[in-house]
PDB file of all heavy atoms in Angstrom:
ATOM      1  N   ASP B  96      -9.238 -48.331  94.422  1.00  0.00           N
ATOM      2  CA  ASP B  96     -10.075 -48.754  93.296  1.00  0.00           C
ATOM      3  C   ASP B  96      -9.349 -48.634  91.959  1.00  0.00           C
ATOM      4  O   ASP B  96      -8.429 -47.841  91.793  1.00  0.00           O
ATOM      5  CB  ASP B  96     -11.359 -47.914  93.234  1.00  0.00           C
ATOM      6  CG  ASP B  96     -12.305 -48.216  94.384  1.00  0.00           C
ATOM      7  OD1 ASP B  96     -12.078 -49.208  95.094  1.00  0.00           O
ATOM      8  OD2 ASP B  96     -13.264 -47.447  94.569  1.00  0.00           O
ATOM      9  N   PHE B  97      -9.823 -49.430  91.033  1.00  0.00           N
ATOM     10  CA  PHE B  97      -9.318 -49.388  89.666  1.00  0.00           C
ATOM     11  C   PHE B  97     -10.284 -48.603  88.797  1.00  0.00           C
ATOM     12  O   PHE B  97     -11.506 -48.711  88.932  1.00  0.00           O
ATOM     13  CB  PHE B  97      -9.172 -50.805  89.106  1.00  0.00           C
ATOM     14  CG  PHE B  97      -8.734 -50.842  87.671  1.00  0.00           C
ATOM     15  CD1 PHE B  97      -7.392 -50.724  87.342  1.00  0.00           C
ATOM     16  CD2 PHE B  97      -9.661 -50.987  86.650  1.00  0.00           C
ATOM     17  CE1 PHE B  97      -6.976 -50.761  86.025  1.00  0.00           C
ATOM     18  CE2 PHE B  97      -9.256 -51.019  85.319  1.00  0.00           C
ATOM     19  CZ  PHE B  97      -7.911 -50.903  85.009  1.00  0.00           C
ATOM     20  N   LEU B  98      -9.721 -47.818  87.900  1.00  0.00           N
ATOM     21  CA  LEU B  98     -10.505 -46.894  87.090  1.00  0.00           C
ATOM     22  C   LEU B  98     -10.402 -47.284  85.627  1.00  0.00           C
ATOM     23  O   LEU B  98      -9.310 -47.541  85.140  1.00  0.00           O
ATOM     24  CB  LEU B  98      -9.894 -45.502  87.280  1.00  0.00           C
ATOM     25  CG  LEU B  98     -10.702 -44.292  86.889  1.00  0.00           C
ATOM     26  CD1 LEU B  98     -11.860 -44.130  87.850  1.00  0.00           C
ATOM     27  CD2 LEU B  98      -9.808 -43.058  86.944  1.00  0.00           C
ATOM     28  N   GLY B  99     -11.539 -47.326  84.927  1.00  0.00           N
ATOM     29  CA  GLY B  99     -11.470 -47.558  83.492  1.00  0.00           C
ATOM     30  C   GLY B  99     -12.415 -48.643  83.016  1.00  0.00           C
ATOM     31  O   GLY B  99     -12.482 -49.713  83.598  1.00  0.00           O
ATOM     32  N   ARG B 100     -13.145 -48.369  81.959  1.00  0.00           N
ATOM     33  CA  ARG B 100     -14.100 -49.323  81.411  1.00  0.00           C
ATOM     34  C   ARG B 100     -13.358 -50.209  80.416  1.00  0.00           C
ATOM     35  O   ARG B 100     -13.088 -49.803  79.285  1.00  0.00           O
ATOM     36  CB  ARG B 100     -15.235 -48.558  80.728  1.00  0.00           C
ATOM     37  CG  ARG B 100     -16.218 -49.382  79.918  1.00  0.00           C
ATOM     38  CD  ARG B 100     -16.883 -50.430  80.776  1.00  0.00           C
ATOM     39  NE  ARG B 100     -18.104 -50.958  80.151  1.00  0.00           N
ATOM     40  CZ  ARG B 100     -18.139 -52.048  79.400  1.00  0.00           C
ATOM     41  NH1 ARG B 100     -17.052 -52.728  79.138  1.00  0.00           N
ATOM     42  NH2 ARG B 100     -19.279 -52.473  78.893  1.00  0.00           N
ATOM     43  N   ILE B 101     -13.042 -51.454  80.837  1.00  0.00           N
ATOM     44  CA  ILE B 101     -12.303 -52.315  79.920  1.00  0.00           C
ATOM     45  C   ILE B 101     -13.248 -52.961  78.904  1.00  0.00           C
ATOM     46  O   ILE B 101     -14.470 -52.938  79.070  1.00  0.00           O
ATOM     47  CB  ILE B 101     -11.504 -53.403  80.661  1.00  0.00           C
ATOM     48  CG1 ILE B 101     -12.425 -54.339  81.417  1.00  0.00           C
ATOM     49  CG2 ILE B 101     -10.491 -52.775  81.598  1.00  0.00           C
ATOM     50  CD1 ILE B 101     -11.663 -55.481  82.040  1.00  0.00           C
ATOM     51  N   TYR B 102     -12.681 -53.490  77.837  1.00  0.00           N
ATOM     52  CA  TYR B 102     -13.448 -54.131  76.765  1.00  0.00           C
ATOM     53  C   TYR B 102     -14.483 -53.219  76.130  1.00  0.00           C
ATOM     54  O   TYR B 102     -15.573 -53.661  75.764  1.00  0.00           O
ATOM     55  CB  TYR B 102     -14.154 -55.390  77.268  1.00  0.00           C
ATOM     56  CG  TYR B 102     -13.222 -56.403  77.864  1.00  0.00           C
ATOM     57  CD1 TYR B 102     -13.540 -57.030  79.052  1.00  0.00           C
ATOM     58  CD2 TYR B 102     -12.018 -56.719  77.244  1.00  0.00           C
ATOM     59  CE1 TYR B 102     -12.678 -57.967  79.620  1.00  0.00           C
ATOM     60  CE2 TYR B 102     -11.157 -57.644  77.798  1.00  0.00           C
ATOM     61  CZ  TYR B 102     -11.488 -58.266  78.985  1.00  0.00           C
ATOM     62  OH  TYR B 102     -10.652 -59.185  79.544  1.00  0.00           O
ATOM     63  N   ALA B 103     -14.213 -51.936  76.062  1.00  0.00           N
ATOM     64  CA  ALA B 103     -15.147 -51.043  75.372  1.00  0.00           C
ATOM     65  C   ALA B 103     -14.329 -50.048  74.561  1.00  0.00           C
ATOM     66  O   ALA B 103     -13.214 -49.703  74.930  1.00  0.00           O
ATOM     67  CB  ALA B 103     -16.032 -50.309  76.369  1.00  0.00           C
ATOM     68  N   LYS B 104     -14.894 -49.611  73.443  1.00  0.00           N
ATOM     69  CA  LYS B 104     -14.179 -48.614  72.640  1.00  0.00           C
ATOM     70  C   LYS B 104     -14.316 -47.248  73.280  1.00  0.00           C
ATOM     71  O   LYS B 104     -13.399 -46.446  73.274  1.00  0.00           O
ATOM     72  CB  LYS B 104     -14.730 -48.585  71.211  1.00  0.00           C
ATOM     73  CG  LYS B 104     -14.274 -49.757  70.349  1.00  0.00           C
ATOM     74  CD  LYS B 104     -14.064 -49.291  68.894  1.00  0.00           C
ATOM     75  CE  LYS B 104     -14.200 -50.464  67.939  1.00  0.00           C
ATOM     76  NZ  LYS B 104     -15.617 -50.980  67.899  1.00  0.00           N
ATOM     77  N   GLU B 105     -15.506 -46.994  73.819  1.00  0.00           N
ATOM     78  CA  GLU B 105     -15.749 -45.697  74.445  1.00  0.00           C
ATOM     79  C   GLU B 105     -16.235 -45.898  75.862  1.00  0.00           C
ATOM     80  O   GLU B 105     -16.947 -46.844  76.151  1.00  0.00           O
ATOM     81  CB  GLU B 105     -16.855 -44.948  73.694  1.00  0.00           C
ATOM     82  CG  GLU B 105     -16.713 -44.979  72.202  1.00  0.00           C
ATOM     83  CD  GLU B 105     -17.474 -43.828  71.590  1.00  0.00           C
ATOM     84  OE1 GLU B 105     -18.500 -43.423  72.181  1.00  0.00           O
ATOM     85  OE2 GLU B 105     -17.038 -43.328  70.534  1.00  0.00           O
ATOM     86  N   SER B 106     -15.876 -44.984  76.722  1.00  0.00           N
ATOM     87  CA  SER B 106     -16.404 -45.041  78.065  1.00  0.00           C
ATOM     88  C   SER B 106     -17.785 -44.404  78.070  1.00  0.00           C
ATOM     89  O   SER B 106     -17.981 -43.339  77.500  1.00  0.00           O
ATOM     90  CB  SER B 106     -15.486 -44.286  79.019  1.00  0.00           C
ATOM     91  OG  SER B 106     -16.120 -44.164  80.263  1.00  0.00           O
ATOM     92  N   PRO B 107     -18.773 -45.069  78.682  1.00  0.00           N
ATOM     93  CA  PRO B 107     -20.121 -44.518  78.696  1.00  0.00           C
ATOM     94  C   PRO B 107     -20.288 -43.407  79.726  1.00  0.00           C
ATOM     95  O   PRO B 107     -21.381 -42.904  79.896  1.00  0.00           O
ATOM     96  CB  PRO B 107     -20.986 -45.731  79.031  1.00  0.00           C
ATOM     97  CG  PRO B 107     -20.090 -46.664  79.745  1.00  0.00           C
ATOM     98  CD  PRO B 107     -18.693 -46.378  79.310  1.00  0.00           C
ATOM     99  N   TYR B 108     -19.222 -43.046  80.421  1.00  0.00           N
ATOM    100  CA  TYR B 108     -19.321 -41.923  81.350  1.00  0.00           C
ATOM    101  C   TYR B 108     -18.025 -41.160  81.434  1.00  0.00           C
ATOM    102  O   TYR B 108     -17.035 -41.508  80.801  1.00  0.00           O
ATOM    103  CB  TYR B 108     -19.801 -42.391  82.720  1.00  0.00           C
ATOM    104  CG  TYR B 108     -19.375 -43.793  83.066  1.00  0.00           C
ATOM    105  CD1 TYR B 108     -18.071 -44.074  83.437  1.00  0.00           C
ATOM    106  CD2 TYR B 108     -20.277 -44.837  82.974  1.00  0.00           C
ATOM    107  CE1 TYR B 108     -17.670 -45.372  83.716  1.00  0.00           C
ATOM    108  CE2 TYR B 108     -19.882 -46.134  83.259  1.00  0.00           C
ATOM    109  CZ  TYR B 108     -18.577 -46.401  83.623  1.00  0.00           C
ATOM    110  OH  TYR B 108     -18.181 -47.677  83.890  1.00  0.00           O
ATOM    111  N   PHE B 109     -18.026 -40.194  82.260  1.00  0.00           N
ATOM    112  CA  PHE B 109     -17.104 -39.105  82.356  1.00  0.00           C
ATOM    113  C   PHE B 109     -16.400 -39.222  83.708  1.00  0.00           C
ATOM    114  O   PHE B 109     -17.080 -39.334  84.738  1.00  0.00           O
ATOM    115  CB  PHE B 109     -18.012 -37.863  82.322  1.00  0.00           C
ATOM    116  CG  PHE B 109     -17.367 -36.624  81.906  1.00  0.00           C
ATOM    117  CD1 PHE B 109     -17.236 -36.318  80.554  1.00  0.00           C
ATOM    118  CD2 PHE B 109     -16.909 -35.729  82.864  1.00  0.00           C
ATOM    119  CE1 PHE B 109     -16.650 -35.118  80.161  1.00  0.00           C
ATOM    120  CE2 PHE B 109     -16.333 -34.542  82.468  1.00  0.00           C
ATOM    121  CZ  PHE B 109     -16.199 -34.239  81.114  1.00  0.00           C
ATOM    122  N   ALA B 110     -15.069 -39.258  83.737  1.00  0.00           N
ATOM    123  CA  ALA B 110     -14.359 -39.353  85.022  1.00  0.00           C
ATOM    124  C   ALA B 110     -13.695 -38.031  85.372  1.00  0.00           C
ATOM    125  O   ALA B 110     -13.005 -37.436  84.554  1.00  0.00           O
ATOM    126  CB  ALA B 110     -13.316 -40.463  84.976  1.00  0.00           C
ATOM    127  N   GLU B 111     -13.925 -37.574  86.600  1.00  0.00           N
ATOM    128  CA  GLU B 111     -13.439 -36.268  87.011  1.00  0.00           C
ATOM    129  C   GLU B 111     -12.894 -36.354  88.433  1.00  0.00           C
ATOM    130  O   GLU B 111     -13.404 -37.102  89.257  1.00  0.00           O
ATOM    131  CB  GLU B 111     -14.626 -35.297  86.974  1.00  0.00           C
ATOM    132  CG  GLU B 111     -14.259 -33.847  86.728  1.00  0.00           C
ATOM    133  CD  GLU B 111     -15.518 -32.989  86.628  1.00  0.00           C
ATOM    134  OE1 GLU B 111     -16.494 -33.413  85.974  1.00  0.00           O
ATOM    135  OE2 GLU B 111     -15.530 -31.907  87.241  1.00  0.00           O
ATOM    136  N   ALA B 112     -11.847 -35.581  88.711  1.00  0.00           N
ATOM    137  CA  ALA B 112     -11.268 -35.571  90.049  1.00  0.00           C
ATOM    138  C   ALA B 112     -12.156 -34.765  90.988  1.00  0.00           C
ATOM    139  O   ALA B 112     -12.366 -33.577  90.784  1.00  0.00           O
ATOM    140  CB  ALA B 112      -9.868 -34.979  90.011  1.00  0.00           C
ATOM    141  N   ALA B 113     -12.684 -35.419  92.026  1.00  0.00           N
ATOM    142  CA  ALA B 113     -13.516 -34.713  93.004  1.00  0.00           C
ATOM    143  C   ALA B 113     -12.637 -33.984  94.005  1.00  0.00           C
ATOM    144  O   ALA B 113     -13.023 -32.962  94.563  1.00  0.00           O
ATOM    145  CB  ALA B 113     -14.445 -35.687  93.715  1.00  0.00           C
ATOM    146  N   THR B 114     -11.464 -34.538  94.240  1.00  0.00           N
ATOM    147  CA  THR B 114     -10.431 -33.894  95.064  1.00  0.00           C
ATOM    148  C   THR B 114      -9.146 -33.967  94.243  1.00  0.00           C
ATOM    149  O   THR B 114      -9.155 -34.492  93.138  1.00  0.00           O
ATOM    150  CB  THR B 114     -10.208 -34.681  96.368  1.00  0.00           C
ATOM    151  OG1 THR B 114      -9.672 -35.976  96.032  1.00  0.00           O
ATOM    152  CG2 THR B 114     -11.496 -34.868  97.134  1.00  0.00           C
ATOM    153  N   ASP B 115      -8.056 -33.466  94.784  1.00  0.00           N
ATOM    154  CA  ASP B 115      -6.777 -33.727  94.131  1.00  0.00           C
ATOM    155  C   ASP B 115      -6.560 -35.238  94.130  1.00  0.00           C
ATOM    156  O   ASP B 115      -6.779 -35.899  95.154  1.00  0.00           O
ATOM    157  CB  ASP B 115      -5.628 -33.052  94.893  1.00  0.00           C
ATOM    158  CG  ASP B 115      -5.656 -31.534  94.715  1.00  0.00           C
ATOM    159  OD1 ASP B 115      -6.411 -31.057  93.840  1.00  0.00           O
ATOM    160  OD2 ASP B 115      -4.931 -30.839  95.443  1.00  0.00           O
ATOM    161  N   VAL B 116      -6.152 -35.750  92.987  1.00  0.00           N
ATOM    162  CA  VAL B 116      -6.085 -37.203  92.829  1.00  0.00           C
ATOM    163  C   VAL B 116      -4.689 -37.624  92.379  1.00  0.00           C
ATOM    164  O   VAL B 116      -4.048 -36.930  91.597  1.00  0.00           O
ATOM    165  CB  VAL B 116      -7.135 -37.666  91.791  1.00  0.00           C
ATOM    166  CG1 VAL B 116      -6.883 -39.096  91.345  1.00  0.00           C
ATOM    167  CG2 VAL B 116      -8.541 -37.518  92.350  1.00  0.00           C
ATOM    168  N   GLU B 117      -4.247 -38.754  92.919  1.00  0.00           N
ATOM    169  CA  GLU B 117      -3.013 -39.359  92.411  1.00  0.00           C
ATOM    170  C   GLU B 117      -3.337 -40.703  91.810  1.00  0.00           C
ATOM    171  O   GLU B 117      -3.933 -41.561  92.462  1.00  0.00           O
ATOM    172  CB  GLU B 117      -1.995 -39.531  93.536  1.00  0.00           C
ATOM    173  CG  GLU B 117      -1.094 -38.331  93.701  1.00  0.00           C
ATOM    174  CD  GLU B 117      -0.037 -38.594  94.749  1.00  0.00           C
ATOM    175  OE1 GLU B 117       0.936 -39.286  94.428  1.00  0.00           O
ATOM    176  OE2 GLU B 117      -0.223 -38.115  95.883  1.00  0.00           O
ATOM    177  N   LEU B 118      -2.916 -40.870  90.560  1.00  0.00           N
ATOM    178  CA  LEU B 118      -3.214 -42.104  89.842  1.00  0.00           C
ATOM    179  C   LEU B 118      -1.933 -42.838  89.487  1.00  0.00           C
ATOM    180  O   LEU B 118      -0.873 -42.235  89.337  1.00  0.00           O
ATOM    181  CB  LEU B 118      -3.935 -41.778  88.530  1.00  0.00           C
ATOM    182  CG  LEU B 118      -5.255 -41.033  88.609  1.00  0.00           C
ATOM    183  CD1 LEU B 118      -5.747 -40.714  87.202  1.00  0.00           C
ATOM    184  CD2 LEU B 118      -6.278 -41.880  89.356  1.00  0.00           C
ATOM    185  N   CYS B 119      -2.081 -44.143  89.318  1.00  0.00           N
ATOM    186  CA  CYS B 119      -1.024 -44.931  88.697  1.00  0.00           C
ATOM    187  C   CYS B 119      -1.642 -45.452  87.403  1.00  0.00           C
ATOM    188  O   CYS B 119      -2.460 -46.372  87.422  1.00  0.00           O
ATOM    189  CB  CYS B 119      -0.612 -46.079  89.614  1.00  0.00           C
ATOM    190  SG  CYS B 119       0.725 -47.067  88.940  1.00  0.00           S
ATOM    191  N   ALA B 120      -1.283 -44.817  86.300  1.00  0.00           N
ATOM    192  CA  ALA B 120      -1.993 -45.047  85.042  1.00  0.00           C
ATOM    193  C   ALA B 120      -1.272 -46.011  84.111  1.00  0.00           C
ATOM    194  O   ALA B 120      -0.044 -46.092  84.122  1.00  0.00           O
ATOM    195  CB  ALA B 120      -2.209 -43.714  84.338  1.00  0.00           C
ATOM    196  N   PHE B 121      -2.043 -46.749  83.321  1.00  0.00           N
ATOM    197  CA  PHE B 121      -1.505 -47.718  82.367  1.00  0.00           C
ATOM    198  C   PHE B 121      -1.996 -47.393  80.967  1.00  0.00           C
ATOM    199  O   PHE B 121      -3.179 -47.149  80.770  1.00  0.00           O
ATOM    200  CB  PHE B 121      -1.982 -49.123  82.731  1.00  0.00           C
ATOM    201  CG  PHE B 121      -1.867 -49.438  84.187  1.00  0.00           C
ATOM    202  CD1 PHE B 121      -2.997 -49.420  85.008  1.00  0.00           C
ATOM    203  CD2 PHE B 121      -0.641 -49.719  84.759  1.00  0.00           C
ATOM    204  CE1 PHE B 121      -2.902 -49.698  86.360  1.00  0.00           C
ATOM    205  CE2 PHE B 121      -0.536 -49.992  86.114  1.00  0.00           C
ATOM    206  CZ  PHE B 121      -1.662 -49.990  86.920  1.00  0.00           C
ATOM    207  N   PRO B 122      -1.104 -47.407  79.990  1.00  0.00           N
ATOM    208  CA  PRO B 122      -1.568 -47.178  78.622  1.00  0.00           C
ATOM    209  C   PRO B 122      -2.495 -48.316  78.192  1.00  0.00           C
ATOM    210  O   PRO B 122      -2.300 -49.465  78.605  1.00  0.00           O
ATOM    211  CB  PRO B 122      -0.288 -47.162  77.786  1.00  0.00           C
ATOM    212  CG  PRO B 122       0.784 -47.700  78.664  1.00  0.00           C
ATOM    213  CD  PRO B 122       0.337 -47.605  80.068  1.00  0.00           C
ATOM    214  N   LYS B 123      -3.506 -47.965  77.425  1.00  0.00           N
ATOM    215  CA  LYS B 123      -4.553 -48.911  77.037  1.00  0.00           C
ATOM    216  C   LYS B 123      -4.000 -50.210  76.452  1.00  0.00           C
ATOM    217  O   LYS B 123      -4.330 -51.296  76.927  1.00  0.00           O
ATOM    218  CB  LYS B 123      -5.472 -48.216  76.017  1.00  0.00           C
ATOM    219  CG  LYS B 123      -6.755 -48.951  75.670  1.00  0.00           C
ATOM    220  CD  LYS B 123      -7.701 -47.988  74.969  1.00  0.00           C
ATOM    221  CE  LYS B 123      -8.871 -48.615  74.231  1.00  0.00           C
ATOM    222  NZ  LYS B 123      -9.349 -49.914  74.608  1.00  0.00           N
ATOM    223  N   ASP B 124      -3.142 -50.090  75.440  1.00  0.00           N
ATOM    224  CA  ASP B 124      -2.642 -51.284  74.765  1.00  0.00           C
ATOM    225  C   ASP B 124      -1.845 -52.176  75.709  1.00  0.00           C
ATOM    226  O   ASP B 124      -2.060 -53.386  75.784  1.00  0.00           O
ATOM    227  CB  ASP B 124      -1.757 -50.897  73.571  1.00  0.00           C
ATOM    228  CG  ASP B 124      -2.572 -50.231  72.478  1.00  0.00           C
ATOM    229  OD1 ASP B 124      -3.818 -50.317  72.545  1.00  0.00           O
ATOM    230  OD2 ASP B 124      -1.974 -49.616  71.576  1.00  0.00           O
TER     231      ASP B 124
END
Side-chain angles (χ1 to χ4, degrees):
Chain B
D96 290 348
F97 177 83
L98 197 69
R100 171 59 163 94
I101 63 175
Y102 303 135
K104 284 216 204 68
E105 315 202 329
S106 170
Y108 31 75
F109 202 85
E111 207 177 317
T114 65
D115 288 348
V116 166
E117 270 185 78
L118 301 176
C119 182
F121 315 103
K123 190 165 165 24
D124 293 346

